[in-house]
Amino acid sequence: MTPASSAPWAKATGDRYHPLVCHVLDTAAVAERLIGKLLGPQCFAELRAGFEPLGNPDGWIATLCGLHDLGKYSPAFQGLKADLAADHFPERAAADVKAVRKPAGLKQRVDTPHGLLTAMHLKDMLLRWGATQETAEVIAVALGGHHGYFPDGSALRQARREINHHGGPAWEGWRDSFVKDIVALRGLPLDAAWEKVHMSAAAAVGFAALASVSDWIASDTGNFPYADAPDPATYASEAQRLATEAVRRLELHPWTPPTTFAELFPADSPRPVQALAEHITADRDEPALIIIEAPTGEGKSKAGLQTAAALVHRLNLIGAYVAMPTQATSNQMLTEVQDLQKRLGDNRTIVQLIHSAANEYPTDVGRDDPDDSDVQAQEWFTRKKSLLTPLGVGTVDQAMKGAIRSGHFFVLLAALSGKVVVIDEVHAYDTYMSTILDRLLAWLGRLGTSVVMLSATLPASRREELIRAWQSGLLRNLPRETPDPEPHPGYPRVTVAGKGSVLSMDTALSDLNAGRRVRLAHVPDEDIADWALDRAADSGCVAIVHNLVRRAEATYTALEERIAALPPGERPRLIAINGPMPTGERKAVEADLRAFFGKNGTRPRAIVVATQVLEHGLDLDFDAMLSDLSPIDRLIQRAGRLHRFSRRGEPVLAIAGVEDTDAGPRFPAYLDRIYAPMTLMRTWALLRERTALEPAAEVTELIDAVYGPDEAIPCPTGWEESWRTAAEKLTRERQKNERDGRVMYLPHPIAVTHLGELTRHGKSARQTRQQKGGKRGGVS
């Protein structure tokens, strides 16, 4: 290494040398082994191509990742422990450190963050080595942002003015010597062609993630214990061995399932939409967005898993992340994926549950932590691994955090870049969430990440938005510049988008849904208890779905009193489930519901009173259902819980929570905090005179009527004023929610001119949803 005369830390210390050298070598060794496991093929290839002119691109990428803490080689950082630093530094350097030492008694830090100093020095050094201004800046900022937030231009200019903190020319020379020694120690040439190096914003996202994750692993003393070594070359060899072991312990084993439906689900005969999904994606050899649309009960989830397995195999990916709308759906999907792994005999790839209450469930789980602390971020990875696991199941929120300008967003995007992202119930998200989801899709497209989306009730306009969002990233243009896909009215259907034209194909319904008819009824609120008890006596298994928790509680109380007055032999079970339930209690109720009303359930005579958790939360089968009026897509989803596993005559869907008046429908108080009155009015105008639905056959017509142009549903006579007021309110709310989403999300991939824009005005990654109605709102 550099002689003591030019390297401050090299003052005589026996056989030891500065731990910064160790950490650089540790991090570089980890990065070299992690790069192909963390980054998806396209992101990895783009990053590697940018450094190809240097020769040994992986070695240079890893070495630069190791230099992320170069800013610690400064008076400002060493001044945090000035007395300790003085013992190891020669007199001149020690004086610089003491000059900026932290004042006694001052709790907060006042030193220039070392990430800023890393970025400042690396930029200057790379310019001296011949790199272009753009390349020097993007590499420097990517590494300087290893604590989660990319430094912007103003922060770097301020850091440069803090001469006492970075040490001026003397310390600059020492840092240069340090870097040259590290580069030589790593076996890299000093006369590389830096003028030819280029790094895009997308590659920089992967580069920054690689540096951060490698830093977290290398900082774990369980992986790299403190140890003395006679010289840096000897330690460099030891770091290689320790890094190999550290990455091995992460158990990032690729998911390697069979790729055909028959192999994955040998006990099932593929239903038409499952067979179509397998056929239409069988020869895909490039990233794709695949949208599978089919009624409840047609097997979309299994089709999605098979499609993901095929893409993982054909595109050489590490695994998949299955994103569900709620914790309840995540918990249920976890069981399905675990069962799949057991059938396949795959004990290597652990299925990891990823949501905020995941630690309540008995599995090797990850839990999302606050994003504003690097210490918490390090723990988030080293102890729980979260989205980096090859096969994960969790809420869509965990993926959406990658599109919010928050700390370490780039780690989330990198973690998804090597997987197929499966997003279920994609129709279920409001304007705010959809705005952020679309931006996530743009980034996933830019990183070459394949996405599979599942829905029973997706409006045509929304399908087009999803396709444009993802393709805009893949094609590197703006969504409005992406060609509109050709309309395809068939249903069920599978749509595949890639670099070329969008392909849609439709297929037949299975016997379960073909010709399926649901009888409609309207029940006044005061008759709900009577209706439920009558149906329980006749049919046995009854569900009541309210939009508001307080309505569910009132119905439960009324039924409880009525059931207590019945003879013991005539009393149906009464079960409640809603979003605000404590996690442990809700988990127990979910287990009971699956045992009673799931596939092959015991089907006792019972009444289940719920909020929206039954809408897409649990795979259950009821004989009759009463639902509060909700938007048409929600009603269709709820009706999908009727005769879900077998046909037993004509199921009944009763609608409550709406009262007709001459001036228009009247809804329960506070319902407008959950659903837009205009959407409810359009739905009621469509349904109020109908006596039956054929959900599977009519889904496209019904959904596009409610969510289509104004003229799709004429305003009923007498409703004009309330219709106009509701329409204006809906427009304002959509505009506001879209604005709120835009405040949160990242710039579009092609619009990034400086990495600092990606985390400027940083937001909390927890804000993936807007709160509506508070705890009493019935949001599940």
Side-chain angles (χ1 to χ4, degrees):
M1 294 294 290
T2 305
S5 59
S6 62
W9 73 82
K11 181 181 177 183
T13 55
D15 290 333
R16 295 181 299 164
Y17 49 93
H18 201 278
L20 180 59
V21 180
C22 301
H23 187 55
V24 169
L25 295 173
D26 295 343
T27 306
V30 170
E32 204 156 16
R33 284 151 183 79
L34 191 64
I35 184 170
K37 297 179 180 292
L38 174 64
L39 305 183
Q42 181 168 309
C43 185
F44 183 18
E46 195 168 327
L47 178 59
R48 176 183 273 173
F51 283 92
E52 193 67 47
L54 302 179
N56 189 6
D58 292 6
W60 273 109
I61 292 166
T63 299
L64 287 168
C65 286
L67 293 171
H68 67 278
D69 272 346
L70 183 61
K72 290 183 177 180
Y73 192 174
S74 64
F77 185 83
Q78 298 301 324
L80 297 174
K81 300 288 184 181
D83 294 338
L84 180 63
D87 291 339
H88 294 277
F89 284 179
E91 184 175 347
R92 177 183 174 186
D96 291 340
V97 170
K98 290 178 180 178
V100 294
R101 74 169 68 193
K102 183 179 177 180
L106 185 65
K107 293 184 178 180
Q108 69 270 25
R109 291 176 60 169
V110 294
D111 57 301
T112 300
H114 71 269
L116 281 177
L117 299 181
T118 292
M120 182 199 77
H121 187 87
L122 283 178
K123 179 181 177 181
D124 293 347
M125 183 190 72
L126 291 172
L127 288 173
R128 289 193 292 272
W129 287 5
T132 66
Q133 180 80 17
E134 180 183 2
T135 295
E137 185 154 306
V138 73
I139 292 174
V141 171
L143 294 175
H146 66 275
H147 283 276
Y149 294 88
F150 294 129
D152 60 19
S154 61
L156 289 173
R157 288 190 293 273
Q158 177 60 33
R160 195 176 298 281
R161 288 193 288 267
E162 299 289 346
I163 297 176
N164 289 340
H165 284 198
H166 60 71
W171 286 77
E172 179 181 69
W174 291 332
R175 286 190 293 268
D176 273 349
S177 295
F178 173 86
V179 172
K180 289 177 181 178
D181 288 338
I182 291 293
V183 168
L185 192 61
R186 295 267 306 156
L188 299 171
L190 291 173
D191 57 348
W194 279 95
E195 71 279 2
K196 298 180 181 179
V197 173
H198 172 74
M199 188 187 295
S200 66
V205 164
F207 182 50
L210 181 65
S212 288
V213 176
S214 300
D215 175 27
W216 299 342
I217 296 171
S219 298
D220 186 345
T221 55
N223 294 327
F224 295 88
Y226 292 114
D228 293 338
D231 60 79
T234 300
Y235 185 81
S237 178
E238 178 68 0
Q240 299 290 325
R241 182 186 69 81
L242 293 173
T244 299
E245 287 299 305
V247 173
R248 180 189 62 79
R249 283 193 293 272
L250 294 175
E251 297 184 331
L252 300 179
H253 306 302
W255 186 42
T256 55
T259 61
T260 67
F261 190 91
E263 291 173 302
L264 287 167
F265 308 104
D268 297 347
S269 296
R271 293 180 177 175
V273 75
Q274 295 167 337
L276 176 59
E278 180 174 6
H279 167 73
I280 204 171
T281 59
D283 59 350
R284 297 296 301 185
D285 57 2
E286 62 180 24
L289 171 70
I290 298 163
I291 303 176
I292 301 174
E293 297 172 79
T296 300
E298 291 293 299
K300 293 187 296 297
S301 295
K302 289 181 177 179
L305 288 174
Q306 183 277 321
T307 302
L311 290 172
V312 167
H313 173 74
R314 293 191 61 83
L315 302 180
N316 194 29
L317 305 176
I318 193 171
Y321 179 64
V322 183
M324 307 298 292
T326 65
Q327 292 178 9
T329 47
S330 302
N331 302 335
Q332 181 163 307
M333 179 56 71
L334 172 72
T335 301
E336 293 184 27
V337 177
Q338 286 177 326
D339 289 345
L340 172 63
Q341 290 295 88
K342 289 177 183 176
R343 288 198 306 272
L344 298 175
D346 185 350
N347 298 319
R348 282 169 50 87
T349 308
I350 297 172
V351 187
Q352 196 146 335
L353 182 63
I354 306 168
H355 62 62
S356 60
N359 62 335
E360 302 285 345
Y361 289 81
T363 181
D364 180 17
V365 301
R367 183 176 181 181
D368 51 310
D369 289 312
D371 68 301
D372 295 329
S373 165
D374 193 61
V375 174
Q376 290 165 325
Q378 181 177 333
E379 184 216 31
W380 166 78
F381 173 72
T382 57
R383 290 183 58 189
K384 299 168 183 173
K385 292 187 287 189
S386 198
L387 280 176
L388 292 166
T389 189
L391 187 54
V393 176
T395 55
V396 70
D397 306 70
Q398 304 307 313
M400 287 171 56
K401 290 178 179 182
I404 293 176
R405 51 176 79 224
S406 58
H408 290 112
F409 80 89
F410 42 84
V411 174
L412 296 170
L413 285 179
L416 295 174
S417 69
K419 299 180 178 68
V420 176
V421 179
V422 182
I423 304 177
D424 200 3
E425 309 285 4
V426 72
H427 58 271
Y429 309 121
D430 62 16
T431 302
Y432 175 84
M433 290 186 71
S434 295
T435 300
I436 298 174
L437 178 61
D438 287 358
R439 186 49 49 91
L440 172 66
L441 290 175
W443 275 95
L444 293 179
R446 179 63 184 85
L447 294 170
T449 303
S450 292
V451 180
V452 179
M453 294 185 150
L454 314 176
S455 178
T457 54
L458 190 64
S461 58
R462 183 66 186 130
R463 184 188 322 116
E464 294 171 2
E465 290 171 352
L466 295 168
I467 292 170
R468 282 196 297 269
W470 184 84
Q471 276 195 321
S472 73
L474 185 73
L475 302 176
R476 304 185 191 185
N477 55 25
L478 293 174
R480 64 174 178 268
E481 299 168 343
T482 304
D484 290 336
E486 291 292 328
H488 189 89
Y491 182 85
R493 66 179 150 253
V494 178
T495 302
V496 182
K499 290 182 178 178
S501 58
V502 178
L503 171 66
S504 286
M505 294 181 67
D506 58 89
T507 187
L509 291 164
S510 69
D511 292 340
L512 178 67
N513 280 305
R516 186 170 180 268
R517 177 184 170 94
V518 175
R519 182 157 53 89
L520 293 179
H522 180 208
V523 176
D525 284 356
E526 60 269 21
D527 295 339
I528 290 175
D530 288 335
W531 183 92
L533 290 169
D534 288 345
R535 294 305 176 281
D538 293 340
S539 304
C541 304
V542 179
I544 298 174
V545 183
H546 285 303
N547 295 327
L548 299 161
V549 173
R550 62 184 182 83
R551 281 177 60 80
E553 290 175 344
T555 294
Y556 183 89
T557 299
L559 283 168
E560 192 173 38
E561 294 174 356
R562 294 284 299 277
I563 290 171
L566 293 174
E570 298 179 15
R571 296 173 184 171
R573 292 176 186 262
L574 183 62
I575 303 170
I577 183 169
N578 56 58
M581 266 186 172
T583 302
E585 180 182 350
R586 178 166 160 176
K587 176 189 170 187
V589 174
E590 288 174 5
D592 286 343
L593 292 175
R594 284 192 292 269
F596 295 153
F597 312 112
K599 196 166 188 178
N600 303 317
T602 57
R603 304 193 62 76
R605 190 155 52 94
I607 301 173
V608 179
V609 182
T611 55
Q612 292 94 326
V613 291
L614 288 192
E615 183 178 305
H616 43 233
L618 295 164
D619 199 9
L620 306 176
D621 185 341
F622 296 98
D623 298 310
M625 176 182 287
L626 180 141
S627 169
D628 280 351
L629 180 71
S630 60
I632 186 64
D633 50 325
R634 306 299 181 110
L635 282 176
I636 292 173
Q637 285 291 124
R638 295 174 191 183
R641 271 61 189 167
L642 290 168
H643 296 197
R644 183 174 177 85
F645 303 126
S646 64
R647 296 175 70 161
R648 305 180 295 277
E650 187 177 58
V652 177
L653 175 66
I655 297 177
V658 56
E659 178 186 354
D660 262 328
T661 73
D662 291 340
R666 181 178 298 152
F667 307 118
Y670 308 114
L671 183 58
D672 60 341
R673 299 183 183 180
I674 309 299
Y675 302 125
M678 188 62 206
T679 306
L680 293 173
M681 292 178 72
R682 289 174 71 96
T683 299
W684 186 235
L686 191 68
L687 298 181
R688 64 182 181 138
E689 295 180 358
R690 297 188 62 152
T691 58
L693 284 178
E694 293 185 30
E698 297 182 300
V699 62
T700 298
E701 174 189 342
L702 295 170
I703 296 297
D704 288 342
V706 171
Y707 292 101
D710 293 344
E711 60 272 15
I713 300 179
C715 173
T717 302
W719 293 20
E720 289 83 2
E721 181 61 27
S722 56
W723 188 274
R724 181 186 60 78
T725 301
E728 292 174 351
K729 180 179 180 181
L730 177 61
T731 298
R732 290 194 303 270
E733 287 184 348
R734 284 179 174 170
Q735 291 173 344
K736 176 185 181 301
N737 292 341
E738 186 175 349
R739 285 195 303 270
D740 290 347
R742 287 178 172 176
V743 167
M744 300 298 298
Y745 67 31
L746 301 173
H748 193 280
I750 72 162
V752 178
T753 58
H754 188 284
L755 288 186
E757 299 168 3
L758 294 170
T759 52
R760 186 177 297 147
H761 309 303
K763 309 299 179 183
S764 170
R766 293 178 174 183
Q767 293 178 261
T768 53
R769 300 177 189 243
Q770 285 182 314
Q771 291 296 328
K772 293 185 178 182
K775 184 177 180 181
R776 311 296 295 175
V779 178
S780 57

